[in-house]
Amino acid sequence: MTELDGKNILLGVTGGIAAYKSADLVRRLRDAGADVRVVMTRGAEEFVRPLTYQAVSGNPVHTSLLDPDAEAAMGHIELARWADAVLIAPASADVIARLAQGLADDLLTTLCLATEAPLVLAPAMNRIMWAHPATQANVARLRERSATILGPGAGDQACGEVGDGRMLEPLELVAGLAALFPGTELTGTRVLITAGPTREAIDPVRYISNRSSGRMGFALAAAAARAGARVTLVAGPVTLATPAGVERVDVESAQQMHEAVMERVDACDVFIACAAVADYRVATPAEAKIKKQDADMELALVRNPDILADVAARQRPPFTVGFAAETHAMQAHAEDKRRRKGLDMIAANWVGRPEGGFDTEDNALEVTWEGGGISLGPKAKTRLAAELVDVVADRYRQKTAHAGGPA
Ligand code: PMT
């Protein structure tokens, strides 16, 4: 189950180059279990044909307020009542201005006035238009009326400029939308999660690291927060935005991650080790940049602390969930890790394969615990994370019920 399972999402698409991303957004929303109906403005039709959204949503696309056929199938008031949330992505400067004014001069703005569902906007425009005081005043006005604004992100723009104004990526929008429908499975629970890679310095400019993007761990943090938990995320060096409602602690090396976890572990009920922590670090990192020489060079490595094993070995450990990233004999290695480290649960995934693991949008997990297990995925990491959090919440409740209360 994810927070968007069975939810009716009305997706408004307005005129902007980011409209092409909204076809993928529809697919991602449907992956998350939502039923999606698309409303396009005339501007949007200049960029993408309605047929595209019809094909990906599996529903007719609505474009006009005065279309008798569309009104006969599902009238605009019916559509406004049907929606559990209205998401406008991309939201142009024009639609933001019209909504701020309370205009109802096309189907989309009329629906926004006629619905009681929450309104979520994903702005996308040139950085100067976004920064313009008129746009900022319109956005502030919509926020005052409880609209949620997701983004915009920063980066290269279609117009060739660089700055704030990019529409967030579809998976970020799905996560932001899901946050509107919080669950209660982990209410009152404190969850500590590690995510991302670590960097082990060789000298001031070089390091040893791995391919972890942090996506799986960040998706878990977002899912746990949506399930009602108080979440602390100890993150290695990644470029991801902090999920809503999550406390984030940034670290770089395995030793720093170990320290950050150990400082917080006694105050948590559930610990999930999703980070790809370097098992070794350079014995003596050079203080100055190492100069190239004719001779080959050897690096002496020493073992890093095992954060997961140290957490599980506490006198009163939290409910402890490990990950296992394997390139062969996945189940056997994962089971060995679970038993050897004394874990409550382990989630095993393949790495080094195109279909999942490191730096991919989708993944699949073989989750096991003493006497049981479940296969999850393959699917988007956001959805997979929500399912894993459900399983963790269930097993954690069972464990605490047997032990007579939380640790
Ligand atoms: O970040 P993404 O690009 O989304 O990719 C996700 C992922 C592949 C990194 C993730 O799903 C995953 O598998 N994380 C664990 C990666 C890993 O280091 O696995 P491992 O089998 O080497 O380690 C076993 C467990 O011990 C892991 O829970 C790890 O966090 C933990 N560990 C390992 C070494 C160490 N020194 N300290 C630890 O806590």
Side-chain angles (χ1 to χ4, degrees):
M1 276 272 286
T2 78
E3 294 70 16
L4 292 178
D5 247 319
K7 291 286 183 288
N8 295 334
I9 306 301
L10 194 66
L11 175 65
V13 183
T14 70
I17 188 65
Y20 82 92
K21 283 196 201 170
S22 300
D24 186 38
L25 174 59
V26 173
R27 191 171 70 84
R28 296 293 175 178
L29 288 167
R30 292 189 75 194
D31 280 352
D35 191 6
V36 184
R37 284 180 176 267
V38 178
V39 175
M40 298 178 76
T41 61
R42 282 183 55 188
E45 287 186 71
E46 300 291 329
F47 289 88
V48 181
R49 305 287 304 145
L51 200 57
T52 307
Y53 297 114
Q54 184 173 315
V56 287
S57 70
N59 282 316
V61 171
H62 307 259
T63 52
S64 166
L65 187 55
L66 306 170
D67 177 349
D69 288 345
E71 284 293 300
M74 191 188 253
H76 68 276
I77 295 295
E78 214 180 324
L79 205 50
R81 287 195 192 122
W82 170 87
D84 291 312
V86 177
L87 168 64
I88 304 185
S92 61
D94 175 68
V95 85
I96 289 173
R98 287 189 290 129
L99 290 170
Q101 292 296 315
L103 296 185
D105 55 356
D106 65 2
L107 177 60
L108 182 58
T109 48
T110 304
L111 284 168
C112 290
L113 279 189
T115 190
E116 288 178 335
L119 175 64
V120 182
L121 301 174
M125 66 196 74
N126 164 273
R127 69 178 177 87
I128 297 171
M129 289 171 80
W130 171 249
H132 196 287
T135 305
Q136 288 303 310
N138 289 333
V139 168
R141 203 159 177 187
L142 289 169
R143 274 205 177 102
E144 273 166 27
R145 289 192 219 136
S146 303
T148 302
I149 314 294
L150 299 177
D156 292 337
Q157 300 204 299
C159 53
E161 299 196 11
V162 181
D164 283 342
R166 279 170 67 92
M167 187 171 93
L168 292 187
E169 293 304 317
L171 285 175
E172 292 175 301
L173 294 178
V174 171
L177 191 63
L180 295 181
F181 305 101
T184 55
E185 302 89 326
L186 287 174
T187 301
T189 310
R190 296 154 304 174
V191 177
L192 182 62
I193 299 176
T194 64
T198 62
R199 282 182 189 167
E200 310 302 322
I202 297 172
D203 66 17
V205 295
R206 303 180 181 95
Y207 55 81
I208 299 171
S209 190
N210 59 63
R211 297 178 190 279
S212 170
S213 63
R215 284 188 206 168
M216 191 69 235
F218 274 58
L220 280 167
R226 289 197 305 271
R230 276 195 0 236
V231 182
T232 304
L233 175 63
V234 179
V238 295
T239 53
L240 301 174
T242 310
V246 168
E247 183 202 3
R248 173 172 176 171
V249 181
D250 284 314
V251 297
E252 190 154 308
S253 66
Q255 281 180 303
Q256 288 169 359
M257 188 173 275
H258 184 265
E259 201 176 308
V261 166
M262 290 306 151
E263 269 173 24
R264 293 164 176 84
V265 68
D266 290 332
C268 82
D269 305 301
V270 175
F271 174 66
I272 306 178
C274 188
V277 187
D279 288 319
Y280 296 90
R281 68 177 182 278
V282 177
T284 322
E287 282 179 14
K289 184 181 168 198
I290 299 170
K291 291 288 171 205
K292 189 165 51 184
Q293 294 165 3
D294 286 339
D296 291 342
M297 180 185 155
E298 284 186 6
L299 277 179
L301 302 178
V302 293
R303 282 292 305 266
N304 267 327
D306 189 319
I307 304 168
L308 178 61
D310 285 356
V311 168
R314 309 277 298 175
Q315 210 175 6
R316 285 169 59 80
F319 185 90
T320 305
V321 182
F323 268 71
E326 307 295 345
T327 54
H328 62 286
M330 181 175 82
Q331 274 308 98
H333 285 309
E335 218 25 44
D336 174 60
K337 280 177 189 169
R338 187 180 69 79
R339 286 176 193 278
R340 203 165 22 87
K341 297 192 187 187
L343 310 178
D344 292 295
M345 187 184 281
I346 194 150
N349 49 192
W350 291 110
V351 288
R353 298 178 172 206
E355 65 266 27
F358 285 124
D359 203 10
T360 50
E361 286 197 352
D362 296 353
N363 198 12
L365 296 171
E366 287 298 324
V367 185
T368 49
W369 54 88
E370 192 61 44
I374 187 170
S375 305
L376 303 177
K379 55 185 58 163
K381 283 179 180 171
T382 44
R383 189 159 162 78
L384 195 63
E387 292 185 3
L388 181 59
V389 163
D390 272 356
V391 176
V392 169
D394 191 46
R395 299 299 309 166
Y396 167 66
R397 266 197 307 271
Q398 288 192 32
K399 185 175 179 185
T400 48
H402 280 118

